[in-house]
Amino acid sequence: MNRPDVLVVGAGVSGLTTSLRLAEHGVRVRIRAQDAPADTNSAAAGAIWDPIYAEHPRVPEWAQRSYEVFTRMVADGFPGVRLVDGVEADRLPITSPEWARGLPGFRECDPGDLPPGFVHGWHYTAPIIDMPPYLAALEAMVRAYGADLHFGRRLTSLAEGFADAPIVVNCSGPGARELVPDPTVRPIRGQLVAIRNPGHREFFAEHTEELGEMIYLLPQGDMLLLGGSAEEGIDDPAPDPLVADAIVKRCGDIFPEIRHAEILENRGGIRPARAMIRLEHEDLGDRHIVHNYGHSGAGVSLSWGCADDVAAIVGRLLGR
């Protein structure tokens, strides 16, 4: 292509979603990333729509916007996106969160709906995304709009991106720690175990305000994803077999049919934890950086809402 209007740094779910929104608005986009979408941390995600693992005043709006987009994708048959009924439950007698009460299918659980050890829960319908085919479809759409994508080399700084375009959109996820640099970004490794699905058609998610050794089961057709973990400070995405064994045990203690299911694969990825999501414009005069990173465990859940905000900022910069 001719010199692009914007360089997007990163090809995970934030980078691809943001690139697609920009391209849909007629912006000429180039993507640079060390890893192709299939090899990013996003490809290892569960991923269930759940907006609680990130902080920013606009999280409710970003989450709602993303939920709406995922719902339309289901109606359109978009690869990897499904709406699934399920239960979120807590080991404490808490009040159901406000964000859940307005969701389709919401109702409080009867005691008999809950597995051992849980005292309160609620049903609702949530988007669950099978990330590899979903990312592949996003990438294909971005390419169809004429964007060019370059993988295999890590930028040494965001300033290096100005050689490509006067506007750099930073969707570098955990890489922002060195690239910005932003030492407040903390890597947190998360792991999943994929097993042969013994028959689960609904999801189960343990409700907790903190990422940690929570329990969740996400059905992906014949495959069931078990989670999860949150290993603070570990920036190597390679799964730890001991952590994987612990995930299977925790899930199997509650759902015994899981204990002897065939294990298909272990997945690992790095969450870009930050005290608050950074989505803002950095004005450098004749050059501009738009940051979109620090989503912790909610990158997929907030992806479309954040992409819309980035597109609005870039549109103003381009006078559109």
Side-chain angles (χ1 to χ4, degrees):
M1 61 159 45
N2 296 326
R3 180 171 166 83
D5 300 310
V6 172
L7 174 71
V8 175
V9 180
V13 68
S14 293
L16 288 179
T17 309
T18 300
S19 296
L20 182 55
R21 273 293 183 256
L22 291 169
E24 288 172 341
H25 286 80
V27 177
R28 292 174 300 176
V29 175
R30 175 172 294 157
I31 297 176
R32 288 199 182 275
Q34 179 177 4
D35 297 318
D39 299 319
T40 61
N41 292 299
S42 296
I48 184 171
W49 181 91
D50 195 337
I52 68 174
Y53 295 119
E55 294 293 333
H56 192 282
R58 288 183 57 76
V59 160
E61 297 171 60
W62 291 335
Q64 179 61 33
R65 172 62 178 153
S66 299
Y67 193 105
E68 293 168 356
V69 174
F70 288 132
T71 299
R72 287 202 303 273
M73 285 179 152
V74 171
D76 293 340
F78 197 90
V81 187
R82 295 173 299 118
L83 287 173
V84 180
D85 297 329
V87 169
E88 187 158 338
D90 203 296
R91 299 176 188 272
L92 300 174
I94 67 166
T95 302
S96 304
E98 183 177 351
W99 60 262
R101 293 180 208 141
L103 293 176
F106 175 84
R107 62 181 174 85
E108 301 284 353
C109 288
D110 295 325
D113 296 336
L114 299 172
F118 291 86
V119 299
H120 180 239
W122 49 94
H123 295 264
Y124 64 96
T125 302
I128 291 182
I129 297 91
D130 187 355
M131 292 303 290
Y134 176 73
L135 293 173
L138 289 183
E139 179 183 356
M141 291 181 70
V142 171
R143 290 185 183 276
Y145 272 100
D148 59 347
L149 290 75
H150 300 267
F151 306 130
R153 186 176 71 86
R154 181 193 293 269
L155 296 180
T156 59
S157 69
L158 292 178
E160 186 181 341
F162 292 127
D164 287 274
I167 302 173
V168 172
V169 176
N170 174 23
C171 298
S172 57
R177 180 177 176 86
E178 286 77 31
L179 195 60
V180 175
D182 184 349
T184 69
V185 176
R186 310 182 322 278
I188 299 179
R189 181 170 64 189
Q191 291 191 207
L192 297 170
V193 179
I195 65 171
R196 188 79 62 191
N197 192 343
H200 286 254
R201 295 293 175 261
E202 295 190 345
F203 70 83
F204 176 84
E206 179 176 359
H207 180 81
T208 171
E209 297 294 335
E210 299 291 335
L211 286 169
E213 294 184 345
M214 76 288 285
I215 293 170
Y216 52 88
L217 288 75
L218 308 178
Q220 300 278 16
D222 292 336
M223 181 174 65
L224 184 66
L225 294 178
L226 310 179
S229 70
E231 300 165 85
E232 183 86 29
I234 297 180
D235 59 5
D236 180 1
D240 181 334
L242 295 179
V243 174
D245 289 346
I247 289 172
V248 174
K249 182 181 185 306
R250 285 199 303 275
C251 294
D253 286 345
I254 296 176
F255 300 96
E257 66 276 10
I258 285 169
R259 294 173 183 165
H260 304 295
E262 178 188 359
I263 294 177
L264 303 176
E265 64 172 328
N266 294 329
R267 296 183 184 180
I270 306 301
R271 301 181 181 103
R274 194 173 188 269
M276 184 174 291
I277 294 169
R278 188 179 186 190
L279 200 161
E280 62 185 23
H281 169 216
E282 188 176 350
D283 190 342
L284 302 176
D286 60 343
R287 300 175 301 171
H288 304 270
I289 299 173
V290 182
H291 296 286
N292 181 20
Y293 69 91
H295 299 86
S296 298
V300 176
S301 300
L302 307 178
S303 55
W304 289 102
C306 290
D308 284 339
D309 275 17
V310 171
I313 293 170
V314 171
R316 290 193 294 270
L317 292 174
L318 294 175
R320 299 180 183 178

